[in-house]
Amino acid sequence: EYDWNITAIVDAFGPEGGVFHEQHPDPHYVFYNRGLWGDIQQDKAEKMMALLYNYTSKRCFYRSTTGSERTRQNQINEHEDTVVRRIAYAHGCEYMDIGHLTKE
């Protein structure tokens, strides 16, 4: 049963994410799906990517959606494509943009 409520991703993947860690003890891949909720600020992205990598130490991904209308209207694409992408790679994670993968 997957019944947990953690309000911040940095708590879920950090030392306070006990139940989450118990239910997912040894993941091979971890994806963070930003969705359409807005940009991830640089300090949170730094913490999040480090925790994602440490949690799996195999493969972690940051999934962006720069092709969405909401992302373009809110001018999130440039932030995602530069700041967040750089942080993801710096922490050993990968960056995947669904807007580019589904273009064709």
Side-chain angles (χ1 to χ4, degrees):
E1 183 175 315
Y2 297 100
D3 185 18
W4 47 271
N5 181 9
I6 301 173
T7 57
I9 189 168
V10 294
D11 293 335
F13 291 113
E16 301 301 316
V19 174
F20 183 85
H21 289 268
E22 289 172 19
Q23 293 176 346
H24 308 281
D26 189 26
H28 292 279
Y29 305 100
V30 176
F31 282 82
Y32 176 79
N33 178 21
R34 182 188 57 80
L36 304 174
W37 308 116
D39 62 340
I40 301 292
Q41 296 303 311
Q42 185 168 348
D43 60 331
K44 187 171 186 177
E46 293 276 359
K47 292 175 190 170
M48 184 176 74
M49 291 301 152
L51 289 169
L52 285 174
Y53 183 79
N54 288 334
Y55 180 57
T56 180
S57 58
K58 294 175 182 81
R59 284 188 91 178
C60 52
F61 298 86
Y62 182 90
R63 180 201 177 271
S64 179
T65 313
T66 60
S68 78
E69 189 64 31
R70 181 183 281 177
T71 301
R72 286 193 303 268
Q73 287 175 348
N74 293 317
Q75 300 171 338
I76 297 172
N77 0 10
E78 186 176 329
H79 176 74
E80 293 272 306
D81 198 36
T82 57
V83 174
V84 177
R85 179 190 298 258
R86 178 186 50 78
I87 291 169
Y89 288 133
H91 288 286
C93 294
E94 298 175 52
Y95 178 91
M96 181 172 64
D97 186 349
I98 289 298
H100 292 283
L101 292 177
T102 59
K103 188 175 181 179
E104 294 179 16

XYZ file of all heavy atoms in Angstrom:
864
model
N 0.850 -1.179 0.000
C 0.000 0.000 0.000
C 0.894 1.239 0.000
O 1.835 1.334 0.775
C -0.896 -0.013 1.237
C -1.839 1.156 1.236
C -2.801 1.066 2.404
O -3.338 -0.025 2.641
O -2.985 2.080 3.047
N 0.584 2.148 -0.882
C 1.375 3.371 -1.003
C 0.596 4.529 -0.414
O -0.127 5.228 -1.106
C 1.735 3.644 -2.466
C 2.598 2.551 -3.028
C 2.076 1.552 -3.823
C 3.949 2.517 -2.725
C 2.886 0.540 -4.316
C 4.763 1.517 -3.219
C 4.226 0.537 -4.015
O 5.017 -0.450 -4.498
N 0.727 4.695 0.879
C -0.012 5.742 1.573
C 0.972 6.629 2.319
O 1.396 6.294 3.420
C -1.016 5.113 2.544
C -1.900 6.158 3.193
O -1.976 7.282 2.666
O -2.508 5.845 4.218
N 1.377 7.707 1.686
C 2.280 8.639 2.330
C 1.963 10.035 1.837
O 1.449 10.230 0.746
C 3.747 8.290 2.089
C 4.101 7.980 0.674
C 4.051 6.767 0.062
C 4.532 8.903 -0.327
N 4.430 6.868 -1.248
C 4.735 8.168 -1.518
C 4.779 10.269 -0.346
C 5.158 8.758 -2.695
C 5.204 10.851 -1.519
C 5.396 10.091 -2.668
N 2.238 11.003 2.653
C 1.977 12.388 2.301
C 3.177 13.217 2.743
O 3.367 13.437 3.930
C 0.709 12.879 2.990
C 0.386 14.313 2.615
O 0.998 14.895 1.736
N -0.574 14.893 3.298
N 3.963 13.616 1.787
C 5.132 14.441 2.069
C 4.982 15.683 1.205
O 4.826 15.596 -0.002
C 6.438 13.687 1.746
C 6.503 12.408 2.580
C 7.640 14.567 2.010
C 7.640 11.487 2.238
N 5.011 16.832 1.835
C 4.680 18.060 1.116
C 5.799 18.605 0.238
O 5.532 19.360 -0.681
C 4.236 19.165 2.102
O 5.281 19.361 3.057
C 2.964 18.766 2.819
N 7.037 18.258 0.496
C 8.142 18.799 -0.296
C 9.035 17.670 -0.799
O 9.367 16.761 -0.045
C 8.965 19.779 0.535
N 9.418 17.755 -2.045
C 10.259 16.710 -2.634
C 11.592 16.575 -1.906
O 12.115 15.478 -1.749
C 10.469 16.936 -4.143
C 11.150 15.701 -4.746
C 11.240 18.200 -4.405
C 11.156 15.672 -6.234
N 12.132 17.675 -1.424
C 13.406 17.589 -0.716
C 13.256 16.820 0.592
O 14.225 16.252 1.091
C 14.059 18.969 -0.487
C 14.459 19.598 -1.810
C 13.149 19.891 0.283
N 12.050 16.765 1.144
C 11.801 15.943 2.330
C 11.614 14.479 1.945
O 12.087 13.582 2.636
C 10.567 16.432 3.086
C 10.781 17.798 3.705
O 11.937 18.165 3.963
O 9.779 18.504 3.927
N 10.922 14.222 0.857
C 10.659 12.844 0.435
C 11.942 12.081 0.142
O 12.098 10.932 0.537
C 9.761 12.837 -0.800
N 12.876 12.709 -0.546
C 14.105 12.031 -0.928
C 15.216 12.205 0.104
O 16.249 11.581 0.017
C 14.582 12.506 -2.296
C 13.671 12.057 -3.397
C 12.927 12.972 -4.107
C 13.552 10.719 -3.704
C 12.074 12.555 -5.118
C 12.701 10.292 -4.707
C 11.964 11.215 -5.414
N 15.004 13.067 1.077
C 15.992 13.289 2.124
C 15.775 12.372 3.315
O 14.989 11.423 3.254
N 16.444 12.638 4.407
C 16.369 11.766 5.580
C 14.989 11.715 6.237
O 14.700 10.782 6.967
C 17.409 12.360 6.533
C 17.766 13.686 6.003
C 17.376 13.722 4.562
N 14.121 12.700 5.959
C 12.786 12.712 6.555
C 11.785 11.873 5.775
O 10.629 11.764 6.165
C 12.266 14.156 6.659
C 13.150 15.068 7.479
C 13.327 14.573 8.908
O 12.337 14.151 9.528
O 14.472 14.587 9.393
N 12.186 11.285 4.674
C 11.276 10.527 3.818
C 11.185 9.066 4.187
O 11.155 8.203 3.314
N 11.134 8.741 5.469
C 11.170 7.374 5.954
C 10.204 6.412 5.288
O 10.610 5.369 4.768
N 8.919 6.721 5.276
C 7.922 5.819 4.694
C 8.156 5.672 3.195
O 8.093 4.570 2.656
C 6.485 6.326 4.979
C 5.464 5.484 4.256
C 6.221 6.341 6.467
N 8.450 6.767 2.542
C 8.735 6.718 1.114
C 9.922 5.801 0.836
O 9.883 4.958 -0.041
C 9.001 8.130 0.585
C 9.225 8.176 -0.889
C 8.156 8.250 -1.759
C 10.508 8.126 -1.418
C 8.360 8.281 -3.141
C 10.720 8.153 -2.781
C 9.639 8.234 -3.640
N 10.969 5.943 1.616
C 12.167 5.117 1.450
C 11.877 3.639 1.734
O 12.411 2.764 1.060
C 13.299 5.598 2.358
C 13.893 6.894 1.932
N 14.971 6.968 1.090
C 13.550 8.167 2.223
C 15.277 8.235 0.880
N 14.427 8.985 1.555
N 11.037 3.386 2.719
C 10.676 1.995 3.037
C 9.908 1.356 1.892
O 10.103 0.185 1.579
C 9.830 1.951 4.305
C 10.609 2.256 5.567
C 9.706 2.394 6.782
O 8.552 1.906 6.739
O 10.154 3.002 7.767
N 9.012 2.113 1.271
C 8.185 1.572 0.192
C 8.932 1.475 -1.128
O 8.543 0.732 -2.011
C 6.916 2.418 0.029
C 6.001 2.295 1.211
C 4.795 3.211 1.099
O 4.764 4.126 0.277
N 3.809 2.966 1.928
N 9.977 2.246 -1.272
C 10.788 2.255 -2.501
C 12.260 2.143 -2.102
O 13.023 3.088 -2.263
C 10.540 3.544 -3.284
C 9.103 3.827 -3.535
N 8.391 3.208 -4.527
C 8.228 4.646 -2.893
C 7.141 3.644 -4.504
N 7.020 4.505 -3.528
N 12.679 0.975 -1.611
C 14.007 0.866 -1.009
C 15.197 0.913 -1.978
O 16.256 1.379 -1.609
C 13.968 -0.479 -0.289
C 12.945 -1.261 -1.029
C 11.935 -0.267 -1.521
N 15.034 0.463 -3.200
C 16.191 0.389 -4.090
C 15.775 0.652 -5.539
O 15.831 -0.246 -6.373
C 16.841 -0.992 -3.966
C 18.169 -1.066 -4.698
O 18.817 -0.020 -4.866
O 18.539 -2.176 -5.108
N 15.388 1.877 -5.852
C 14.943 2.151 -7.222
C 16.105 2.171 -8.208
O 17.221 2.533 -7.859
C 14.313 3.537 -7.112
C 15.056 4.177 -5.994
C 15.367 3.062 -5.026
N 15.820 1.747 -9.416
C 16.831 1.795 -10.471
C 16.804 3.135 -11.201
O 17.815 3.589 -11.699
C 16.605 0.666 -11.480
C 16.859 -0.674 -10.881
N 18.119 -1.195 -10.740
C 16.014 -1.578 -10.360
C 18.042 -2.371 -10.167
N 16.777 -2.630 -9.936
N 15.623 3.719 -11.295
C 15.446 4.999 -11.980
C 14.541 5.889 -11.150
O 13.606 5.405 -10.537
C 14.773 4.824 -13.347
C 15.484 3.859 -14.251
C 15.030 2.554 -14.396
C 16.601 4.252 -14.957
C 15.681 1.670 -15.230
C 17.263 3.377 -15.789
C 16.801 2.086 -15.920
O 17.453 1.215 -16.743
N 14.809 7.172 -11.176
C 13.935 8.140 -10.523
C 13.706 9.275 -11.511
O 14.645 9.842 -12.055
C 14.544 8.699 -9.224
C 13.651 9.762 -8.621
C 14.781 7.590 -8.217
N 12.428 9.579 -11.748
C 12.046 10.699 -12.603
C 11.370 11.749 -11.748
O 10.478 11.432 -10.971
C 11.014 10.261 -13.660
C 11.588 9.526 -14.805
C 11.864 8.173 -14.713
C 11.835 10.172 -16.003
C 12.379 7.470 -15.779
C 12.358 9.478 -17.079
C 12.630 8.124 -16.963
N 11.771 12.989 -11.906
C 10.990 14.083 -11.343
C 10.258 14.707 -12.522
O 10.877 15.173 -13.475
C 11.868 15.140 -10.661
C 11.022 16.296 -10.186
C 10.288 16.194 -9.020
C 10.910 17.454 -10.944
C 9.476 17.215 -8.599
C 10.100 18.492 -10.534
C 9.375 18.369 -9.365
O 8.565 19.397 -8.958
N 8.957 14.691 -12.452
C 8.128 15.214 -13.529
C 7.624 16.591 -13.124
O 6.712 16.711 -12.310
C 6.960 14.255 -13.768
C 6.027 14.762 -14.837
O 6.403 15.583 -15.656
N 4.814 14.270 -14.830
N 8.221 17.625 -13.673
C 7.809 18.973 -13.292
C 6.368 19.243 -13.649
O 5.672 19.949 -12.963
C 8.695 20.043 -13.939
C 8.258 21.436 -13.485
C 8.951 22.538 -14.220
N 8.816 22.512 -15.649
C 7.760 22.950 -16.327
N 6.711 23.413 -15.715
N 7.758 22.909 -17.639
N 5.893 18.702 -14.727
C 4.518 18.987 -15.120
C 4.368 20.425 -15.561
O 5.264 21.001 -16.166
N 3.263 21.029 -15.209
C 2.973 22.386 -15.676
C 2.814 23.373 -14.529
O 2.127 24.369 -14.638
C 1.671 22.362 -16.505
C 1.680 21.391 -17.687
C 0.309 21.335 -18.333
C 2.727 21.790 -18.695
N 3.449 23.124 -13.415
C 3.177 23.896 -12.205
C 4.026 25.134 -12.048
O 3.781 25.929 -11.169
C 3.337 22.996 -10.995
C 2.531 21.759 -11.154
C 3.004 20.486 -11.242
C 1.125 21.672 -11.323
N 1.976 19.613 -11.437
C 0.800 20.308 -11.488
C 0.094 22.595 -11.348
C -0.494 19.856 -11.670
C -1.203 22.135 -11.532
C -1.483 20.791 -11.682
N 5.024 25.317 -12.812
C 5.872 26.491 -12.662
C 7.329 26.083 -12.573
O 7.661 24.900 -12.606
N 8.194 27.063 -12.461
C 9.617 26.754 -12.473
C 10.112 26.335 -11.091
O 9.544 26.675 -10.075
C 10.423 27.934 -13.004
C 10.291 29.174 -12.139
O 9.325 29.267 -11.369
O 11.168 30.037 -12.233
N 11.177 25.570 -11.103
C 11.863 25.157 -9.885
C 12.974 26.168 -9.650
O 13.833 26.365 -10.516
C 12.485 23.750 -10.051
C 11.422 22.714 -10.379
C 13.286 23.357 -8.827
C 10.454 22.433 -9.283
N 12.954 26.807 -8.516
C 13.978 27.802 -8.215
C 15.337 27.129 -8.056
O 15.436 25.958 -7.710
C 13.609 28.575 -6.951
C 12.337 29.390 -7.099
C 12.418 30.377 -8.250
O 13.380 31.126 -8.377
N 11.408 30.382 -9.100
N 16.389 27.879 -8.325
C 17.729 27.332 -8.380
C 18.130 26.618 -7.087
O 18.663 25.508 -7.131
C 18.740 28.430 -8.702
C 20.138 27.896 -8.895
C 21.084 28.915 -9.488
O 20.676 29.959 -9.963
N 22.356 28.612 -9.457
N 17.886 27.216 -5.926
C 18.303 26.582 -4.678
C 17.569 25.268 -4.441
O 18.162 24.280 -4.000
C 18.135 27.532 -3.489
C 16.706 27.986 -3.274
O 15.934 28.055 -4.257
O 16.350 28.273 -2.111
N 16.278 25.225 -4.769
C 15.527 23.982 -4.615
C 15.995 22.934 -5.629
O 16.103 21.756 -5.306
C 14.034 24.234 -4.774
C 13.199 23.021 -4.451
C 11.717 23.350 -4.410
C 10.924 22.166 -3.934
N 9.514 22.470 -3.813
N 16.286 23.358 -6.842
C 16.776 22.432 -7.868
C 18.103 21.816 -7.445
O 18.326 20.623 -7.634
C 16.920 23.147 -9.207
N 18.989 22.617 -6.857
C 20.281 22.102 -6.382
C 20.072 21.003 -5.344
O 20.655 19.928 -5.438
C 21.124 23.232 -5.765
C 21.586 24.277 -6.747
C 22.852 23.896 -7.494
O 23.410 22.812 -7.251
O 23.280 24.706 -8.336
N 19.226 21.262 -4.365
C 18.960 20.273 -3.311
C 18.284 19.033 -3.889
O 18.645 17.905 -3.572
C 18.062 20.881 -2.231
C 18.716 21.956 -1.424
C 17.708 22.572 -0.468
C 18.268 23.819 0.184
N 17.248 24.556 0.923
N 17.290 19.261 -4.729
C 16.486 18.176 -5.281
C 17.334 17.236 -6.137
O 17.247 16.016 -5.993
C 15.355 18.788 -6.113
C 14.385 17.797 -6.663
S 13.042 18.649 -7.506
C 13.865 19.189 -8.985
N 18.150 17.765 -7.022
C 18.951 16.919 -7.902
C 19.983 16.118 -7.117
O 20.210 14.942 -7.405
C 19.648 17.751 -8.980
C 18.725 18.342 -9.988
S 17.783 17.077 -10.847
C 16.355 18.024 -11.245
N 20.590 16.728 -6.123
C 21.553 16.001 -5.291
C 20.854 14.856 -4.561
O 21.369 13.739 -4.497
C 22.218 16.947 -4.298
N 19.673 15.116 -4.018
C 18.925 14.078 -3.306
C 18.447 12.974 -4.243
O 18.496 11.794 -3.889
C 17.732 14.693 -2.574
C 18.088 15.545 -1.357
C 16.861 16.331 -0.881
C 18.645 14.692 -0.235
N 17.985 13.341 -5.432
C 17.554 12.332 -6.396
C 18.701 11.394 -6.749
O 18.538 10.181 -6.776
C 17.028 12.985 -7.680
C 15.657 13.617 -7.621
C 15.372 14.350 -8.930
C 14.591 12.593 -7.351
N 19.864 11.962 -6.999
C 21.009 11.140 -7.354
C 21.433 10.255 -6.182
O 21.692 9.068 -6.347
C 22.189 11.993 -7.824
C 23.346 11.127 -8.247
C 23.347 10.516 -9.491
C 24.408 10.876 -7.388
C 24.382 9.684 -9.883
C 25.450 10.049 -7.764
C 25.423 9.459 -9.014
O 26.443 8.627 -9.387
N 21.496 10.826 -5.004
C 21.900 10.043 -3.832
C 20.894 8.950 -3.507
O 21.272 7.898 -3.011
C 22.098 10.944 -2.621
C 23.341 11.788 -2.745
O 24.290 11.425 -3.421
N 23.322 12.928 -2.096
N 19.637 9.199 -3.792
C 18.599 8.211 -3.505
C 18.733 6.985 -4.395
O 18.620 5.864 -3.945
C 17.219 8.856 -3.672
C 16.078 7.921 -3.391
C 15.974 7.272 -2.172
C 15.110 7.690 -4.346
C 14.928 6.416 -1.911
C 14.057 6.841 -4.098
C 13.967 6.206 -2.873
O 12.923 5.364 -2.625
N 19.014 7.183 -5.657
C 19.111 6.047 -6.565
C 20.553 5.660 -6.863
O 20.865 4.500 -6.993
C 18.366 6.307 -7.887
O 18.508 5.170 -8.718
C 18.861 7.517 -8.601
N 21.420 6.633 -6.982
C 22.818 6.479 -7.412
C 22.970 5.558 -8.624
O 23.987 4.933 -8.838
C 23.735 6.063 -6.263
O 23.337 4.870 -5.670
N 21.920 5.465 -9.412
C 21.979 4.738 -10.684
C 21.621 5.694 -11.809
O 22.478 6.114 -12.547
C 21.035 3.538 -10.647
C 21.471 2.481 -9.643
C 20.444 1.366 -9.563
C 20.839 0.337 -8.540
N 20.516 0.720 -7.181
N 20.338 6.048 -11.907
C 19.921 7.013 -12.932
C 18.784 7.862 -12.401
O 17.813 7.354 -11.860
C 19.455 6.306 -14.197
C 20.625 5.780 -15.013
C 20.183 5.263 -16.319
N 20.234 6.331 -17.315
C 19.927 6.135 -18.589
N 19.566 4.953 -19.011
N 19.997 7.119 -19.442
N 18.911 9.151 -12.583
C 17.835 10.059 -12.199
C 17.613 11.041 -13.346
O 18.528 11.366 -14.092
C 18.154 10.795 -10.908
S 19.745 11.628 -10.874
N 16.382 11.457 -13.470
C 15.983 12.319 -14.578
C 15.137 13.474 -14.078
O 14.323 13.311 -13.175
C 15.121 11.551 -15.591
C 15.816 10.405 -16.235
C 15.827 9.161 -15.631
C 16.452 10.559 -17.456
C 16.459 8.080 -16.235
C 17.092 9.486 -18.057
C 17.094 8.250 -17.449
N 15.317 14.613 -14.696
C 14.415 15.740 -14.526
C 13.638 15.845 -15.826
O 14.218 15.998 -16.893
C 15.191 17.035 -14.281
C 14.281 18.215 -14.054
C 13.853 18.541 -12.779
C 13.839 18.992 -15.120
C 13.006 19.621 -12.573
C 13.000 20.067 -14.917
C 12.580 20.373 -13.641
O 11.736 21.436 -13.440
N 12.334 15.712 -15.727
C 11.495 15.748 -16.923
C 10.828 17.110 -17.029
O 10.096 17.531 -16.152
C 10.426 14.665 -16.852
C 9.522 14.655 -18.066
C 8.224 13.941 -17.687
N 7.261 13.936 -18.751
C 6.359 14.887 -18.954
N 6.331 15.966 -18.199
N 5.492 14.779 -19.929
N 11.085 17.786 -18.110
C 10.539 19.113 -18.371
C 9.487 19.028 -19.469
O 9.373 18.020 -20.156
C 11.665 20.046 -18.811
O 11.160 21.315 -19.086
N 8.745 20.099 -19.607
C 7.739 20.182 -20.667
C 7.782 21.576 -21.267
O 6.839 22.339 -21.177
C 6.323 19.899 -20.108
O 6.365 18.745 -19.297
C 5.327 19.678 -21.225
N 8.898 21.938 -21.877
C 9.022 23.302 -22.392
C 8.126 23.557 -23.589
O 7.907 24.704 -23.955
C 10.478 23.626 -22.774
O 10.902 22.718 -23.784
C 11.393 23.561 -21.567
N 7.593 22.515 -24.210
C 6.735 22.707 -25.366
C 5.303 23.063 -25.021
O 4.522 23.396 -25.910
N 4.927 23.026 -23.765
C 3.535 23.304 -23.414
C 3.230 24.798 -23.513
O 4.102 25.645 -23.310
C 3.221 22.822 -22.001
O 3.730 23.732 -21.045
N 2.005 25.098 -23.802
C 1.578 26.493 -23.934
C 1.759 27.260 -22.624
O 2.218 28.392 -22.609
C 0.108 26.547 -24.381
C -0.356 27.933 -24.755
C 0.378 28.507 -25.963
O 0.794 27.738 -26.841
O 0.539 29.735 -26.028
N 1.413 26.627 -21.514
C 1.548 27.289 -20.207
C 3.014 27.608 -19.910
O 3.334 28.665 -19.389
C 0.972 26.413 -19.104
C 1.065 27.075 -17.735
C 0.570 26.180 -16.643
N -0.880 26.193 -16.620
C -1.605 25.453 -15.794
N -1.017 24.629 -14.957
N -2.911 25.527 -15.812
N 3.901 26.702 -20.246
C 5.330 26.926 -20.018
C 5.827 28.097 -20.846
O 6.559 28.952 -20.358
C 6.128 25.655 -20.360
O 5.664 24.590 -19.542
C 7.607 25.839 -20.119
N 5.411 28.146 -22.098
C 5.829 29.260 -22.967
C 5.237 30.581 -22.492
O 5.924 31.590 -22.438
C 5.428 28.980 -24.409
C 6.309 27.934 -25.075
C 6.116 27.896 -26.580
N 4.749 27.657 -26.981
C 4.214 26.460 -27.229
N 4.964 25.385 -27.130
N 2.967 26.329 -27.589
N 3.958 30.582 -22.121
C 3.309 31.813 -21.677
C 3.941 32.370 -20.406
O 4.016 33.571 -20.213
C 1.818 31.583 -21.443
C 1.032 31.423 -22.708
C -0.419 31.065 -22.438
O -0.805 30.715 -21.326
N -1.242 31.142 -23.470
N 4.375 31.490 -19.533
C 4.984 31.916 -18.273
C 6.501 32.044 -18.366
O 7.172 32.225 -17.362
C 4.597 30.949 -17.147
C 3.123 31.026 -16.842
O 2.544 32.099 -16.781
N 2.498 29.876 -16.676
N 7.037 31.907 -19.575
C 8.458 32.090 -19.856
C 9.350 31.204 -18.977
O 10.362 31.625 -18.452
C 8.840 33.559 -19.711
C 8.062 34.433 -20.673
C 8.258 35.900 -20.422
O 8.623 36.322 -19.340
N 7.993 36.690 -21.436
N 8.938 29.946 -18.837
C 9.691 28.993 -18.030
C 10.736 28.270 -18.869
O 11.741 27.797 -18.348
C 8.725 27.990 -17.355
C 7.801 28.743 -16.403
C 9.463 26.893 -16.627
C 6.691 27.899 -15.834
N 10.529 28.201 -20.209
C 11.426 27.395 -21.040
C 12.895 27.778 -20.889
O 13.741 26.909 -20.787
C 11.096 27.393 -22.526
C 9.934 28.190 -22.966
O 9.359 28.964 -22.228
N 9.569 27.991 -24.197
N 13.215 29.045 -20.922
C 14.623 29.446 -20.845
C 15.241 29.022 -19.517
O 16.363 28.515 -19.478
C 14.767 30.958 -21.021
C 16.215 31.387 -21.087
C 16.377 32.869 -21.349
O 15.526 33.464 -22.021
O 17.384 33.410 -20.871
N 14.501 29.199 -18.425
C 14.990 28.796 -17.097
C 15.225 27.286 -17.056
O 16.250 26.819 -16.566
C 13.973 29.215 -16.035
C 14.324 28.774 -14.655
N 15.324 29.371 -13.923
C 13.816 27.792 -13.879
C 15.409 28.777 -12.750
N 14.502 27.815 -12.699
N 14.275 26.528 -17.590
C 14.395 25.064 -17.598
C 15.585 24.623 -18.453
O 16.329 23.740 -18.061
C 13.134 24.432 -18.197
C 11.909 24.628 -17.369
C 11.730 23.550 -16.342
O 11.740 22.371 -16.708
O 11.591 23.901 -15.177
N 15.694 25.227 -19.607
C 16.695 24.789 -20.578
C 18.112 25.191 -20.190
O 19.066 24.609 -20.677
C 16.344 25.328 -21.957
C 17.059 24.582 -23.064
O 17.241 23.351 -22.941
O 17.440 25.229 -24.047
N 18.260 26.168 -19.332
C 19.598 26.608 -18.939
C 19.884 26.238 -17.486
O 20.671 25.341 -17.223
C 19.773 28.120 -19.161
O 18.755 28.820 -18.429
C 19.686 28.487 -20.622
N 19.228 26.891 -16.559
C 19.518 26.722 -15.133
C 19.257 25.293 -14.670
O 20.137 24.633 -14.111
C 18.689 27.723 -14.285
C 18.882 27.464 -12.801
C 19.065 29.152 -14.643
N 18.054 24.790 -14.898
C 17.693 23.466 -14.378
C 18.470 22.356 -15.093
O 18.943 21.418 -14.463
C 16.175 23.238 -14.464
C 15.812 21.845 -13.988
C 15.431 24.280 -13.635
N 18.630 22.473 -16.384
C 19.404 21.467 -17.134
C 20.838 21.392 -16.602
O 21.372 20.320 -16.348
C 19.420 21.802 -18.622
C 20.232 20.816 -19.456
C 20.421 21.320 -20.876
N 19.192 21.476 -21.591
C 18.733 20.623 -22.507
N 19.419 19.546 -22.813
N 17.603 20.862 -23.131
N 21.473 22.540 -16.408
C 22.851 22.590 -15.896
C 22.940 21.933 -14.515
O 23.844 21.144 -14.243
C 23.323 24.041 -15.820
C 24.718 24.211 -15.251
C 25.099 25.678 -15.066
N 24.107 26.480 -14.364
C 23.919 26.476 -13.037
N 24.640 25.688 -12.268
N 23.014 27.255 -12.470
N 21.988 22.231 -13.649
C 21.985 21.669 -12.298
C 21.787 20.157 -12.343
O 22.463 19.413 -11.629
C 20.908 22.349 -11.431
C 21.298 23.801 -11.159
C 20.676 21.587 -10.131
C 20.190 24.638 -10.537
N 20.866 19.696 -13.185
C 20.620 18.255 -13.294
C 21.893 17.521 -13.686
O 22.292 16.546 -13.035
C 19.512 17.981 -14.311
N 22.562 17.992 -14.722
C 23.795 17.346 -15.172
C 24.914 17.457 -14.131
O 25.686 16.522 -13.942
C 24.261 17.917 -16.504
C 23.402 17.495 -17.674
C 22.959 18.414 -18.606
C 23.034 16.161 -17.852
C 22.179 18.024 -19.683
C 22.251 15.766 -18.924
C 21.830 16.704 -19.837
O 21.053 16.316 -20.894
N 24.992 18.591 -13.452
C 26.043 18.786 -12.444
C 25.917 17.796 -11.295
O 26.919 17.430 -10.678
C 25.999 20.220 -11.913
N 24.707 17.345 -11.022
C 24.479 16.411 -9.914
C 24.365 14.961 -10.379
O 23.944 14.099 -9.621
C 23.256 16.830 -9.115
C 23.500 18.060 -8.300
N 24.262 18.054 -7.154
C 23.130 19.348 -8.491
C 24.334 19.269 -6.656
N 23.660 20.077 -7.455
N 24.725 14.693 -11.630
C 24.730 13.321 -12.122
C 23.401 12.835 -12.660
O 23.260 11.664 -13.002
N 22.419 13.723 -12.745
C 21.116 13.357 -13.300
C 21.073 13.719 -14.780
O 21.995 14.326 -15.311
C 19.999 14.085 -12.555
S 19.832 13.590 -10.823
N 20.003 13.339 -15.416
C 19.825 13.662 -16.821
C 18.607 14.565 -16.967
O 17.767 14.651 -16.078
C 19.665 12.379 -17.635
C 20.917 11.510 -17.550
C 20.760 10.185 -18.245
O 20.367 10.172 -19.425
O 21.033 9.169 -17.604
N 18.504 15.222 -18.092
C 17.428 16.175 -18.354
C 16.679 15.697 -19.585
O 17.288 15.431 -20.619
C 18.035 17.553 -18.591
C 17.051 18.640 -18.925
C 16.500 19.417 -17.929
C 16.701 18.905 -20.248
C 15.617 20.440 -18.229
C 15.820 19.920 -20.558
C 15.281 20.683 -19.549
O 14.408 21.686 -19.845
N 15.389 15.571 -19.477
C 14.586 15.090 -20.591
C 13.437 16.073 -20.810
O 12.677 16.361 -19.885
C 14.031 13.698 -20.249
C 13.207 13.105 -21.346
S 12.770 11.387 -21.010
C 11.765 11.554 -19.565
N 13.343 16.586 -22.004
C 12.289 17.531 -22.349
C 11.269 16.846 -23.239
O 11.544 16.568 -24.410
C 12.896 18.755 -23.037
C 11.871 19.840 -23.285
O 10.663 19.598 -23.128
O 12.300 20.957 -23.627
N 10.094 16.594 -22.717
C 9.031 15.919 -23.461
C 8.629 16.747 -24.681
O 8.264 16.195 -25.717
C 7.815 15.657 -22.544
C 8.171 14.565 -21.551
C 6.582 15.288 -23.327
C 8.509 13.224 -22.152
N 8.722 18.062 -24.602
C 8.403 18.906 -25.741
C 9.234 18.584 -26.961
O 8.791 18.673 -28.101
N 10.488 18.181 -26.767
C 11.369 17.829 -27.881
C 11.212 16.359 -28.278
O 11.311 16.023 -29.447
C 12.826 18.114 -27.538
C 13.112 19.570 -27.410
N 13.245 20.391 -28.492
C 13.264 20.363 -26.317
C 13.466 21.625 -28.092
N 13.486 21.629 -26.774
N 10.945 15.499 -27.324
C 10.800 14.081 -27.629
C 9.555 13.789 -28.446
O 9.522 12.856 -29.237
C 10.749 13.242 -26.337
C 12.042 13.204 -25.537
C 11.821 12.414 -24.253
C 13.157 12.556 -26.339
N 8.509 14.565 -28.238
C 7.244 14.294 -28.923
C 7.015 15.205 -30.116
O 5.952 15.180 -30.719
C 6.060 14.458 -27.944
O 6.071 15.780 -27.422
C 6.137 13.446 -26.817
N 7.991 15.999 -30.485
C 7.843 16.957 -31.573
C 7.496 16.273 -32.900
O 6.666 16.734 -33.644
C 9.117 17.778 -31.715
C 8.983 18.933 -32.692
C 10.234 19.776 -32.681
C 10.084 20.939 -33.636
N 11.274 21.791 -33.618
N 8.134 15.163 -33.183
C 7.887 14.477 -34.440
C 6.616 13.686 -34.337
O 5.922 13.378 -35.198
C 9.062 13.544 -34.755
C 10.335 14.344 -35.012
C 11.511 13.410 -35.305
O 11.315 12.237 -35.603
O 12.640 13.914 -35.250
